[in-house]
Structures are given as structure tokens and as C-alpha cells.
Amino acid sequence: MRKLRVKELIFIAICADLGLFSKRMISPFTNIITDALHIPGGIGTSFSLMFLVLSVMLLKKKGVATLMSFIQCVIALSIGMVGSMGALSIIGYMVPGMVIDLLFVLTKKIQLTNMEKCALLNAIGALSAALTANCIVFHLKGIVLALYGSVALFSGLLCGILGDILLRRIQKVIQF
């Protein structure tokens, strides 16, 4: 990763905080849907990952999502927001960030609109988060796992589209 300027680091820190704490704010609303489907979650995580994707798309630098995931993990562990993963939450935070960064690099040469790229990054990031959580905590199988993954993909897709809308608005105000 190239050196980050102070302005970029501040933006990363703000987005990391927004991603971490927005998940806690919308969880009560998303739990209504996931409880009805009898799955452990996935929607709040998709919303949280939107801020990682937003930063990657705005800064266009490798490693930004992984850095943000690490920042979120350190904050979550330091204030006790570890959830059901406990000390293994570092894996739960880092895997989606690394997947988003890897996918960002792999899609650089593919002709995609920003909306398509945001939706793809967010959807695959959300699926990787769901599969990581499943491996560490839930151990779902069969149809329930397929439903859990589908909800993660679909909510990731929607949050990616929302991320693109935010990206366009932020680009009008902030230039990096």
C-alpha cells in the first residue's frame, strides 16, 4: 500500500468507526428479518462492510479495507464488542476486509461501473463474513446455510448499491 496522507487516514478512521457502530444501531431492525427467517444474521454486517467498500472505492488504494478491518477489530476488542466470536473476532473482522481488498485488485482491469463494483465488493465481502462466522460459531448446514449465505449476498448487494449512492455524494465534497 502506498503511503496514506493524513486526510486519508482521518477518512479511514471515520469510516471504520461508522461501520462498527452503525452495525450496532441497525441490528435491532435487521434482527426482525433474520429472526423471522431463523438465521443468525448477515444484514447488519453488510451495512457495516459498506463503509469499507466506500473507502476502498474513494481512495483507490490496496489494503485500505484490511487496514479498516484491523482498526474495527482493535476498537471492538478494546470496548468489549466481540459478540459470539469472542477472541476469534479478529478473524471475523479481517477476512471480509482482505476479501474486499483482493476483489478490488482483481476487478481493476474489468470494465465495471462504480455501482457494479460497489455491489460486487460488498456482496462478496458480506458472504465471506457470513461463511467465516459460520465456520467459527454457527456451524450451519444445508438449506439453513444456503439461506444465511443468500441473505448475506442479497443484503450485501443492496448495501453496495447504497454505498455507491453515498460514494457519488461524497466525491462531490471530498477530493483525494
Side-chain angles (χ1 to χ4, degrees), residues 47-120:
F47 190 77
S48 175
L49 291 175
M50 175 183 69
F51 292 99
L52 273 70
V53 171
L54 181 68
S55 296
V56 168
M57 292 296 293
L58 192 62
L59 299 176
K60 303 231 184 279
K61 293 185 179 179
K62 295 181 243 179
V64 169
T66 304
L67 175 63
M68 287 180 64
S69 297
F70 181 73
I71 292 167
Q72 286 181 336
C73 180
V74 168
I75 293 170
L77 287 172
S78 66
I79 63 174
M81 285 178 56
V82 292
S84 56
M85 288 191 204
L88 294 177
S89 64
I90 189 165
I91 298 167
Y93 279 99
M94 295 300 292
V95 168
M98 292 187 295
V99 166
I100 289 169
D101 277 332
L102 178 64
L103 204 53
F104 175 73
V105 170
L106 292 175
T107 59
K108 268 192 171 182
K109 295 185 179 173
I110 299 173
Q111 193 71 350
L112 297 171
T113 65
N114 274 351
M115 182 180 289
E116 292 168 340
K117 193 175 256 191
C118 284
L120 178 67

Side-chain angles (χ1 to χ4, degrees), residues 11-21 51 55 68 71-72 75:
F11 184 76
I12 288 170
I14 290 169
C15 282
D17 289 342
L18 284 171
L20 184 65
F21 294 111
F51 292 99
S55 296
M68 287 180 64
I71 292 167
Q72 286 181 336
I75 293 170

